[in-house]
Amino acid sequence: MFSSPLNNQEGRIFMREVAVIGVGQSVFGKFPGRTAASLGGEAVAAALKDCGMHPKDIQVAYAARAYDANCTAQAVLKEVGVTAFEMINVENACAGGATAFRGVWKEIACGRYDIGIAIGVESMTTSPIAGKLIPPEKDDLDGYLGMTMPAMFGMVARRQMEEYGATAEDFALVSVKNHHHGCLNPQAQYRKEFTVEEILQSRMISEPITLLMCCPNTDGAAAAILCSMEVARKYTTQPIKVIGSALLTGDYKYLQKDICASPVGVKAAQMAYEMAGCAPKDIDLVEMHDAFANEEILRYEDLALCAPGEGLDLLRSGATAIGGRIPVNPSGGLLALGHPLSASGVRTVCEVVLHLRGQAGARQTPNAKVGLAQMLGGLVTGLEHGVTAGIHILAR
Amino acid sequence: MFSSPLNNQEGRIFMREVAVIGVGQSVFGKFPGRTAASLGGEAVAAALKDCGMHPKDIQVAYAARAYDANCTAQAVLKEVGVTAFEMINVENACAGGATAFRGVWKEIACGRYDIGIAIGVESMTTSPIAGKLIPPEKDDLDGYLGMTMPAMFGMVARRQMEEYGATAEDFALVSVKNHHHGCLNPQAQYRKEFTVEEILQSRMISEPITLLMCCPNTDGAAAAILCSMEVARKYTTQPIKVIGSALLTGDYKYLQKDICASPVGVKAAQMAYEMAGCAPKDIDLVEMHDAFANEEILRYEDLALCAPGEGLDLLRSGATAIGGRIPVNPSGGLLALGHPLSASGVRTVCEVVLHLRGQAGARQTPNAKVGLAQMLGGLVTGLEHGVTAGIHILAR
């Protein structure tokens, strides 16, 4: 189903090692009075400060924004007072941030530039989608027919119950776990513990999905500074290497036999593992797309953190909680940390970097050596088009 | 003013020769009943037919759209029934198309993929900007203060009159020329000859800029298929080589001493000429950003088609008309062919390719060997941020 074997034969092309040396995040929450540029600028300033870099040293920028995007990189970088280099604005729904990160990685890997910044930013509260569902019930055929994101994930959840014996309690457990993680992250939008009961008793959105199984609307931004290894050594003794990168749009979802499956997520993971020269067992922590609680369980299987069909067992075993064998979304994930769409694909990388440096505080994955950041995106008519998967594997 | 010398040292990185083998354009005009995906699909189908390629052979896509952009590549390519490869959506105001083209060029030049498609599409009649000015008088500080595009170009025109002795007749002459060119292009939105008098007597928009000195609102799309030279030989005996590429965002425009100057346009042109290993005198035709008639005269100088300050003489000499020494905008340009913002940066490349192949019909530049496609972009608060210049030089 995927395109010719010439695709992504990363091995046959000249590539330099690329390091992430600076990461930063804005506050995450609802800030309708702040511009996207201001949120983006806050993240960029934090990333620059993180590695002690002067803004004028940036040579190329990729910025992602899904809604109301007009020259995002230009607007964000003006907040730190720099311009006059190559700027590229990208969009790929929730995978936009991963697309921006991969864009900068490509530039440095091929040798065109030595230092670049990936920016993801979204102001959901001021977007045209504010207060609406995705896709909106107007303007879009899927939305018009009622096939919004919560409806789709409700159907997926039902299938998980039928096929794998999942229960609403299992889905609630994901949310309990990620909200617990969020309590350990000073930058999370929501920092509150919930019980399984509380999750189940929150407002029903799309049976069996309750409000507290859905990610919130979030305004926020994240930024990551990438550079060649040679340059990295000038700034830090802890460069984090990008060892795997994959970005792939999948087949039309309506052609899938199994609504739970994510062939594109599986394929992109395989590509990233192959490039990284590592196996799922080598991964110490994962940040991923948990827009709805039940989804996280399926994503374990996409990333081969467990065998197909065993995602539920992995969750129930506690392995994916902080302190477990393979913590998933120690940041709090989209569920608790929040989900400014295009920011999330950069923000997940930032979280992985903090763990690999040993700087993740109370939520630190002990002795983390390799981490994986995954993001999925499909926005308007995401069901009709292919979903996009972006995966990056990082190592210290 | 421009970033470190490490920028765009294209010479030091591994690069393969890249060819354009297929070009296509949708109808250009006002089609509020058609989706952007449908316009894009029409352009993609035309480009595929142009080189006899099966859609499934595409390995990577970059698509540009400025307004209402949500997974543009995914939506457009569904029109020709293909998915399941890497898709990247970009935006850079009017330079979005040039950004998409450069993105595909980079992928093939570095060896990651062998075949890719660049798509530019815009539906101006259904965009949030429909019936408004850019930037809108609401939502944007520049617009709120009245500094919309026509106002800015009116000020620029006044300065051209003061500084260089330009007259309103000169500006009208650009429009007469490009509308004449448009009459020779079956795909132009407007195919009507105008006299200098008619241009001058059309409605005053922003003194001395009249309606017929402004580009129209246009819906439309363009697509270009790029590949490695090795692959190109399988499809065509007329591959057109991409010999120069530059994309650069400039300094803050309000810092410029001279409102007429475009330092970023000059710099990007220098970078593209250097990479191409050619001089302005080697260029046989140019497609460029003539959003307002007076602008074209300044752009002659940016591209060094004449000495600084001599743009007006070049225009008056007739050198830039079809049949002249260096035809500029033989397609009809944005003024007559139309300007679907993000489409224009791909469409200008398509026009250059047709001339280099000897397939430009009544508007053919005789024996064209090298052509240049330029686009400038600055959308919302384009005056406060840096303008982006995208330049590609192509050769047969």
Side-chain angles (χ1 to χ4, degrees):
Chain A
M1 86 179 243
F2 291 97
S3 191
S4 95
L6 288 168
N7 265 11
N8 280 56
Q9 290 188 338
E10 310 282 7
R12 73 172 180 163
I13 70 177
F14 165 74
M15 289 204 298
R16 300 192 294 176
E17 269 197 330
V18 177
V20 183
I21 60 166
V23 294
Q25 187 190 317
S26 74
V27 289
F28 272 33
K30 295 183 198 290
F31 311 106
R34 286 189 63 177
T35 62
S38 138
L39 291 164
E42 185 181 334
V44 169
L48 287 165
K49 188 178 174 194
D50 183 47
C51 58
M53 182 177 285
H54 192 283
K56 290 213 170 183
D57 290 333
I58 300 171
Q59 297 168 352
V60 65
Y62 279 66
R65 187 179 178 191
Y67 293 115
D68 289 331
N70 282 323
C71 299
T72 304
Q74 288 88 340
V76 168
L77 288 164
K78 187 169 183 239
E79 298 282 318
V80 294
V82 289
T83 185
F85 49 82
E86 182 166 359
M87 299 189 194
I88 292 152
N89 302 296
V90 299
E91 187 270 333
N92 245 338
C94 302
T99 303
F101 185 84
R102 179 166 160 90
V104 179
W105 168 75
K106 282 176 182 171
E107 297 283 9
I108 296 167
C110 83
R112 181 169 289 110
Y113 295 106
D114 287 326
I115 302 173
I117 190 162
I119 303 162
V121 59
E122 208 75 55
S123 170
M124 296 300 289
T125 61
T126 65
S127 77
I129 207 81
K132 298 177 190 166
L133 294 166
I134 299 177
E137 290 176 21
K138 205 163 71 72
D139 310 330
D140 182 276
L141 184 61
D142 288 335
Y144 186 75
L145 295 171
M147 186 49 95
T148 60
M149 291 293 178
M152 184 180 78
F153 281 97
M155 284 172 61
V156 169
R158 271 283 162 207
R159 191 78 204 151
Q160 289 173 282
M161 295 166 90
E162 183 72 21
E163 193 83 19
Y164 303 108
T167 64
E169 284 75 12
D170 290 315
F171 306 145
L173 194 59
V174 173
S175 209
V176 167
K177 169 178 81 71
N178 291 354
H179 276 283
H180 171 65
H181 294 178
C183 289
L184 305 175
N185 185 351
Q187 293 189 284
Q189 180 173 5
Y190 294 107
R191 302 183 61 198
K192 185 168 172 356
E193 302 276 1
F194 290 99
T195 63
V196 166
E197 272 310 293
E198 285 169 324
I199 303 283
L200 291 174
Q201 282 166 16
S202 65
R203 183 154 62 91
M204 184 57 70
I205 300 296
S206 174
E207 210 277 322
I209 306 290
T210 65
L211 183 68
L212 289 172
M213 294 180 200
C214 305
C215 68
N217 279 305
T218 311
D219 303 332
I225 296 169
L226 292 80
C227 63
S228 64
M229 285 306 286
E230 199 182 326
V231 169
R233 287 187 200 99
K234 297 181 194 164
Y235 287 92
T236 179
T237 55
Q238 285 195 301
I240 302 300
K241 286 180 234 165
V242 182
I243 60 171
S245 173
L247 183 74
L248 189 61
T249 294
D251 214 335
Y252 306 125
K253 199 165 174 74
Y254 61 70
L255 296 176
Q256 281 182 211
K257 284 184 186 161
D258 178 1
I259 195 175
C260 294
S262 175
V264 68
V266 172
K267 177 70 182 176
Q270 286 168 350
M271 288 162 66
Y273 285 131
E274 189 182 342
M275 184 186 154
C278 74
K281 68 172 172 48
D282 301 319
I283 305 293
D284 295 308
L285 80 148
V286 171
E287 282 284 317
M288 61 152 73
H289 189 265
D290 59 328
F292 296 89
N294 61 309
E295 189 192 355
E296 188 178 294
I297 302 166
L298 299 168
R299 301 292 96 86
Y300 298 161
E301 301 176 21
D302 299 351
L303 299 177
L305 305 182
C306 60
E310 294 182 3
L312 207 50
D313 295 334
L314 190 70
L315 171 75
R316 290 171 179 167
S317 76
T320 59
I322 288 176
R325 177 174 64 78
I326 169 80
V328 172
N329 288 323
S331 67
L334 310 185
L335 288 167
L337 172 60
H339 185 25
L341 304 194
S342 297
S344 292
V346 178
R347 199 275 310 152
T348 48
V349 168
C350 296
E351 178 73 9
V352 168
V353 166
L354 292 179
H355 286 261
L356 297 180
R357 285 183 187 162
Q359 296 176 344
R363 62 191 193 280
Q364 177 66 40
T365 305
N367 196 28
K369 290 190 184 74
V370 185
L372 184 150
Q374 174 261 28
M375 199 47 51
L376 295 177
L379 204 61
V380 171
T381 54
L383 310 179
E384 289 188 21
H385 303 155
V387 167
T388 297
I391 296 184
H392 288 96
I393 302 176
L394 298 107
R396 71 170 152 101
Chain B
M1 84 179 247
F2 290 97
S3 193
S4 94
L6 287 168
N7 266 11
N8 279 56
Q9 292 190 339
E10 309 283 5
R12 72 170 181 163
I13 69 176
F14 165 74
M15 289 205 298
R16 300 193 294 176
E17 269 197 331
V18 178
V20 183
I21 60 166
V23 294
Q25 188 190 317
S26 73
V27 289
F28 272 34
K30 293 183 199 292
F31 310 106
R34 287 189 62 177
T35 62
S38 139
L39 291 164
E42 186 182 332
V44 170
L48 289 164
K49 189 178 172 194
D50 182 48
C51 58
M53 183 178 284
H54 192 284
K56 290 211 171 186
D57 291 334
I58 300 171
Q59 297 168 352
V60 65
Y62 279 67
R65 187 179 178 191
Y67 292 115
D68 288 331
N70 281 323
C71 298
T72 304
Q74 288 86 339
V76 167
L77 288 163
K78 190 172 180 234
E79 298 281 319
V80 295
V82 289
T83 186
F85 48 83
E86 182 166 358
M87 299 189 195
I88 292 152
N89 302 297
V90 299
E91 188 269 334
N92 246 337
C94 302
T99 304
F101 185 84
R102 178 166 161 89
V104 178
W105 167 75
K106 282 176 182 170
E107 296 283 10
I108 297 167
C110 83
R112 182 169 286 110
Y113 295 106
D114 287 326
I115 301 174
I117 190 162
I119 302 163
V121 59
E122 208 75 56
S123 171
M124 295 301 288
T125 62
T126 65
S127 78
I129 207 82
K132 297 177 192 167
L133 293 166
I134 299 176
E137 290 177 20
K138 204 164 71 73
D139 309 331
D140 181 277
L141 185 60
D142 289 334
Y144 185 76
L145 296 170
M147 186 49 96
T148 60
M149 291 293 177
M152 184 179 78
F153 280 97
M155 283 171 61
V156 169
R158 271 285 162 206
R159 191 79 204 148
Q160 289 173 283
M161 294 166 89
E162 184 72 20
E163 193 83 19
Y164 302 109
T167 63
E169 284 75 13
D170 290 317
F171 307 145
L173 195 60
V174 173
S175 210
V176 168
K177 169 178 82 71
N178 291 356
H179 276 282
H180 170 65
H181 294 179
C183 290
L184 305 175
N185 185 351
Q187 294 189 284
Q189 181 173 2
Y190 293 106
R191 302 183 62 198
K192 186 168 171 358
E193 301 276 1
F194 290 100
T195 63
V196 166
E197 272 310 295
E198 285 169 324
I199 303 283
L200 290 175
Q201 282 165 16
S202 65
R203 183 155 62 91
M204 184 56 70
I205 299 298
S206 175
E207 209 278 320
I209 306 289
T210 64
L211 183 68
L212 289 172
M213 295 181 200
C214 305
C215 67
N217 278 305
T218 311
D219 303 331
I225 296 170
L226 290 81
C227 63
S228 64
M229 285 306 286
E230 199 182 327
V231 169
R233 289 188 198 99
K234 297 181 193 164
Y235 286 93
T236 179
T237 55
Q238 286 196 302
I240 302 301
K241 285 179 235 164
V242 182
I243 61 170
S245 174
L247 183 75
L248 190 60
T249 294
D251 214 334
Y252 305 125
K253 198 164 174 75
Y254 61 70
L255 296 177
Q256 283 182 209
K257 284 184 186 161
D258 178 2
I259 195 175
C260 294
S262 175
V264 67
V266 171
K267 177 71 181 175
Q270 286 169 350
M271 288 162 67
Y273 285 131
E274 189 183 341
M275 184 185 153
C278 74
K281 68 172 172 47
D282 301 319
I283 305 292
D284 295 310
L285 79 149
V286 170
E287 282 284 317
M288 62 151 73
H289 190 266
D290 58 328
F292 296 89
N294 61 308
E295 189 192 356
E296 189 180 293
I297 302 166
L298 299 168
R299 300 292 95 86
Y300 297 161
E301 301 176 23
D302 298 351
L303 299 176
L305 305 182
C306 60
E310 295 181 3
L312 208 51
D313 295 334
L314 189 70
L315 171 75
R316 290 171 179 167
S317 76
T320 60
I322 288 176
R325 176 173 65 79
I326 170 79
V328 173
N329 288 323
S331 67
L334 310 185
L335 288 168
L337 171 60
H339 186 26
L341 304 194
S342 297
S344 292
V346 179
R347 199 275 310 153
T348 48
V349 168
C350 296
E351 178 73 10
V352 168
V353 166
L354 292 179
H355 286 262
L356 297 179
R357 284 184 189 161
Q359 296 176 343
R363 64 191 192 280
Q364 176 67 40
T365 305
N367 196 28
K369 291 190 183 74
V370 184
L372 184 150
Q374 174 261 28
M375 199 47 49
L376 295 177
L379 204 61
V380 170
T381 54
L383 310 179
E384 289 188 22
H385 303 155
V387 167
T388 297
I391 295 185
H392 288 96
I393 301 176
L394 299 107
R396 70 169 153 101

